[in-house]
């Protein structure tokens, strides 16, 4: 977060401004701690939602949760927060509602 805030603001900023994480708005979603290369090969990695305000993690049911939200499931899922830790390529495709890497 410190590095991204520095790149976004082009200077060091105080802790209060860092907590706003304004740079997150530049992305459809953010994945940290992706555990590459396993992210690309292991379909069983867990996906956690990151709470940017304090850095805590919240369990998700990943693909099952996205599918259970029904129509526009990916949008509803990302409306709850778009910063994640872990997961795998299947989660990424489901969250972006894509079928193939060429669509990303």
């Amino acid at each position: 977060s410190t590095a991204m805030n520095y790149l976004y603001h082009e200077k060091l900023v105080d802790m209060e401004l860092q907590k706003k994480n304004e740079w997150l708005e530049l992305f459809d979603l953010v994945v940290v701690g992706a555990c590459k290369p396993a992210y690309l090969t292991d379909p069983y990695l867990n996906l956690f939602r990151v709470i940017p305000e304090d850095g805590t993690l919240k369990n998700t049911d990943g693909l099952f949760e996205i599918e259970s939200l029904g129509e526009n499931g990916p949008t509803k899922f990302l409306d709850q927060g778009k910063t994640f830790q872990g997961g795998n390529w299947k989660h990424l495709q489901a969250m972006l509602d894509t079928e193939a890497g060429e669509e990303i």
Side-chain angles (χ1 to χ4, degrees), residues 76-102:
K76 293 174 186 174
F77 186 75
L78 292 175
D79 283 346
Q80 299 171 39
K82 62 180 191 171
T83 308
F84 300 91
Q85 178 175 313
N88 59 55
W89 64 273
K90 288 184 176 186
H91 294 121
L92 180 63
Q93 282 189 323
M95 289 186 285
L96 294 176
D97 199 19
T98 62
E99 298 292 324
E102 293 85 22

Side-chain angles (χ1 to χ4, degrees), residues 1-2 24 28 34 37-38 42 49 57 61 67 76 83 90 95-96:
S1 179
T2 300
L24 288 173
D28 293 330
D42 186 347
R49 188 179 308 277
L57 301 178
D61 289 327
E67 292 169 4
K76 293 174 186 174
T83 308
K90 288 184 176 186
M95 289 186 285
L96 294 176

Side-chain angles (χ1 to χ4, degrees), residues 1-2 9 13 15-16 18 29 31-32 52 58-59 62 80 83 85-86 88 91 94:
S1 179
T2 300
H9 294 285
V13 295
M15 191 57 73
E16 197 61 38
Q18 278 192 36
L29 64 101
V31 178
V32 299
K58 180 179 177 185
N59 288 324
Q80 299 171 39
T83 308
Q85 178 175 313
N88 59 55
H91 294 121

Side-chain angles (χ1 to χ4, degrees), residues 13-94:
V13 295
D14 62 33
M15 191 57 73
E16 197 61 38
L17 189 54
Q18 278 192 36
K19 288 180 181 178
K20 291 182 181 179
N21 287 312
E22 297 166 303
W23 60 270
L24 288 173
E25 298 304 316
L26 299 174
F27 301 94
D28 293 330
L29 64 101
V30 175
V31 178
V32 299
C35 195
K36 293 180 276 218
Y39 185 86
L40 303 171
T41 60
D42 186 347
Y44 302 106
L45 294 174
N46 292 320
L47 179 69
F48 300 94
R49 188 179 308 277
V50 177
I51 310 304
E53 292 77 22
D54 62 10
T56 58
L57 301 178
K58 180 179 177 185
N59 288 324
T60 73
D61 289 327
L63 298 174
F64 301 111
E65 185 175 339
I66 295 168
E67 292 169 4
S68 73
L69 292 170
E71 187 176 343
N72 297 319
T75 301
K76 293 174 186 174
F77 186 75
L78 292 175
D79 283 346
Q80 299 171 39
K82 62 180 191 171
T83 308
F84 300 91
Q85 178 175 313
N88 59 55
W89 64 273
K90 288 184 176 186
H91 294 121
L92 180 63
Q93 282 189 323

